[in-house]
Amino acid sequence: MSWKDNLEAVRQWIRLGQYSGHTAGLAPGYAQANLVMLPKDSALDFLIFCQRNPKACPVLDVLEAGRFAPNIAPGCDLRTDLPKYRVFHNGAMLDEVKELGSYWRDDLVSFLLGCSFTFESRLIAAGFSMRHIEQDSVIPVYETNIACKPAGPFFGPMVVSMRPIPAKRVAEAVQITARLPRAHGAPIHVGAPAAIGIRDINKPDWGKPVEIKDDEAPVFWACGVTSQAVARASLPPFMITHAPGHMFITDLLDAELTEL
Amino acid sequence: MSWKDNLEAVRQWIRLGQYSGHTAGLAPGYAQANLVMLPKDSALDFLIFCQRNPKACPVLDVLEAGRFAPNIAPGCDLRTDLPKYRVFHNGAMLDEVKELGSYWRDDLVSFLLGCSFTFESRLIAAGFSMRHIEQDSVIPVYETNIACKPAGPFFGPMVVSMRPIPAKRVAEAVQITARLPRAHGAPIHVGAPAAIGIRDINKPDWGKPVEIKDDEAPVFWACGVTSQAVARASLPPFMITHAPGHMFITDLLDAELTEL
């Protein structure tokens, strides 16, 4: 068994700063999460934003201001236990760091939001192949023309990830992911990329393009990168997020996120 | 058709203060909601409380401070459009009123939480009889020994409502209500009242007792009255809620709350 399969080993390597790569495939079976940290004075509005946009921002955990040990991973420290963070000032990325150090503030409220890795493992278990994994690449992610529902100062476009799915199995992929509302849930769009403002499917805004075969449809799921697009649109004075793909690994099992 | 079947007529009567009774059975098909209003400085902690206790406090809508027109009923005014409100100071009920009048404050954040009326109508449609409706009574509601997960200053016991269900159809009642997570979802307990601290099933803490027949099990669902028990435990300086049973009627159809 590789260290990559062991939750505690993975966490130790990340905490010590000896691993700062992406977390796809690490500690399989455990749910991973997007991180957003905001000062207390804007945290209520952001939590309302999440409540109004649950597909893009499904809340797994919220920590009161100043707390850094998640309820869904009590032994962890959100200041050190992600491989890579981004620090934003007025919507612009100021720094990318391996631990928060002096960027941490006691008035920060931390949000952990569900991640598509959870439903990917479920799709793979059902025999779907994930093209970006086959190609050892990074999943293509697109900004859309779908506006999130605003809340207080927060607004911006919904961001989606795309996976090619065999046309005859689209319904099945919908049903499998619909049972994971805390991991983005059912797709928000199937086929017709232009209808959501994607001009060129081969030019994603994040990640790398993947091949779509003749018997496949492009299927779009709401994506945790939405919170970064919202930062770019809404210009919050101070905000910390994970770096895309560099997630927090929780104590929750993927299986625990399944709903009836 | 009675005025009771018409959404706009019901709202008009309530708004004018000419109807101040309970809302069970009014405007059938439309989802009703529990109301909680809190000053902005405690609203974040309460929303975190809801996020941690989704069965008792399933969030349908949150309005930014000072707003009173819900997103899920844009033409309404939460200051006048419930038949009866309760005003709490330091956890004690100070007043019961038909409209908020001078109790309204511009720093109040309003929460609308899902209501069991939604799943009752679904159970009735599936041929279950609701004993408290048959008996033209008020549903029995109990404080339990189950602690809600605390958040900031908010803590307290989970409150449950009880419906007797034929033993051979308990599984079906579970499946039907599990599909309504925004209306308290699946039961939290079936049978064995003493195991959740209910000493005498014939002495509910709110409402009236109902008969449980020999071939029935008492089935317990998390209840919106939890927020009032939390007020009594946590003593927030100022809080407004609906009076039990006197709910806000939303524009959402019960059907829209169903998940796959």
Side-chain angles (χ1 to χ4, degrees), chain A residues 106-182:
Chain A
D106 282 341
D107 68 336
L108 288 177
V109 174
S110 296
F111 301 82
L112 293 169
L113 310 177
C115 164
S116 58
F117 291 168
T118 296
F119 75 70
E120 285 191 345
S121 69
R122 201 66 54 86
L123 289 170
I124 291 167
F128 289 86
S129 64
M130 296 287 101
R131 187 68 32 79
H132 61 287
I133 298 176
E134 278 176 12
Q135 297 185 0
D136 196 15
S137 181
V138 185
I139 186 151
V141 168
Y142 307 83
E143 193 170 307
T144 70
N145 62 8
I146 302 167
C148 291
K149 289 185 190 168
F154 295 105
F155 69 97
M158 186 185 290
V159 174
V160 296
S161 59
M162 188 279 285
R163 293 162 189 80
I165 299 288
K168 66 179 177 189
R169 296 191 74 191
V170 166
E172 200 185 335
V174 168
Q175 288 176 296
I176 289 170
T177 55
R179 294 178 67 204
L180 295 160
R182 293 195 292 161

Side-chain angles (χ1 to χ4, degrees), chain A residues 2 4-6 10 22-29 32 117 120 133 245 249:
Chain A
S2 153
K4 295 189 173 186
D5 295 323
N6 181 286
V10 166
H22 69 75
T23 53
L26 296 190
Q32 301 197 12
F117 291 168
E120 285 191 345
I133 298 176
I249 305 173

Side-chain angles (χ1 to χ4, degrees), chain A residues 28-236:
Chain A
Y30 289 92
Q32 301 197 12
N34 298 276
L35 172 71
V36 173
M37 293 175 162
L38 283 163
K40 186 168 187 200
D41 59 12
S42 59
L44 172 63
D45 284 327
F46 187 73
L47 189 47
I48 296 176
F49 182 87
C50 294
Q51 191 272 330
R52 290 186 188 158
N53 298 282
K55 287 210 139 176
C57 300
V59 178
L60 294 181
D61 200 3
V62 189
L63 281 63
E64 289 92 337
R67 285 186 47 202
F68 40 76
N71 302 293
I72 58 175
C76 286
D77 184 330
L78 289 181
R79 301 170 302 178
T80 55
D81 291 359
L82 283 81
K84 211 179 281 175
Y85 301 82
R86 290 185 167 181
V87 181
F88 296 85
H89 273 202
N90 299 319
M93 191 169 93
L94 180 80
D95 204 355
E96 192 169 77
V97 292
K98 297 202 307 190
E99 56 175 47
L100 288 185
S102 61
Y103 288 122
W104 170 256
R105 299 167 17 174
D106 282 341
D107 68 336
L108 288 177
V109 174
S110 296
F111 301 82
L112 293 169
L113 310 177
C115 164
S116 58
F117 291 168
T118 296
F119 75 70
E120 285 191 345
S121 69
R122 201 66 54 86
L123 289 170
I124 291 167
F128 289 86
S129 64
M130 296 287 101
R131 187 68 32 79
H132 61 287
I133 298 176
E134 278 176 12
Q135 297 185 0
D136 196 15
S137 181
V138 185
I139 186 151
V141 168
Y142 307 83
E143 193 170 307
T144 70
N145 62 8
I146 302 167
C148 291
K149 289 185 190 168
F154 295 105
F155 69 97
M158 186 185 290
V159 174
V160 296
S161 59
M162 188 279 285
R163 293 162 189 80
I165 299 288
K168 66 179 177 189
R169 296 191 74 191
V170 166
E172 200 185 335
V174 168
Q175 288 176 296
I176 289 170
T177 55
R179 294 178 67 204
L180 295 160
R182 293 195 292 161
H184 303 306
I188 59 120
H189 199 78
V190 178
I196 52 171
I198 298 173
R199 268 178 290 185
D200 185 345
I201 198 76
N202 292 312
K203 292 187 181 159
D205 298 298
W206 293 265
K208 299 268 193 306
V210 294
E211 184 197 2
I212 302 173
K213 295 180 181 166
D214 284 347
D215 63 350
E216 291 177 333
V219 179
F220 301 93
W221 279 268
C223 176
V225 176
T226 299
S227 59
Q228 306 203 14
V230 165
R232 213 161 55 184
S234 320
L235 314 178

Side-chain angles (χ1 to χ4, degrees), chain B residues 240-251:
Chain B
I240 293 170
T241 72
H242 67 288
H246 298 65
M247 320 302 286
F248 176 67
I249 305 172
T250 78
D251 283 1

Side-chain angles (χ1 to χ4, degrees), chain A residues 43-45 47-48 51-52 59-64 67 71 109 151-152 178 260, chain B residues 43-45 47-48 51-52 59-64 67 71 109 151-152 178 260:
Chain A
L44 172 63
D45 284 327
L47 189 47
I48 296 176
Q51 191 272 330
R52 290 186 188 158
V59 178
L60 294 181
D61 200 3
V62 189
L63 281 63
E64 289 92 337
R67 285 186 47 202
N71 302 293
V109 174
L260 189 73
Chain B
L44 172 63
D45 285 326
L47 189 46
I48 296 177
Q51 191 271 329
R52 290 186 188 158
V59 178
L60 295 181
D61 200 2
V62 188
L63 281 63
E64 289 92 337
R67 284 185 47 201
N71 302 293
V109 173
L260 188 72

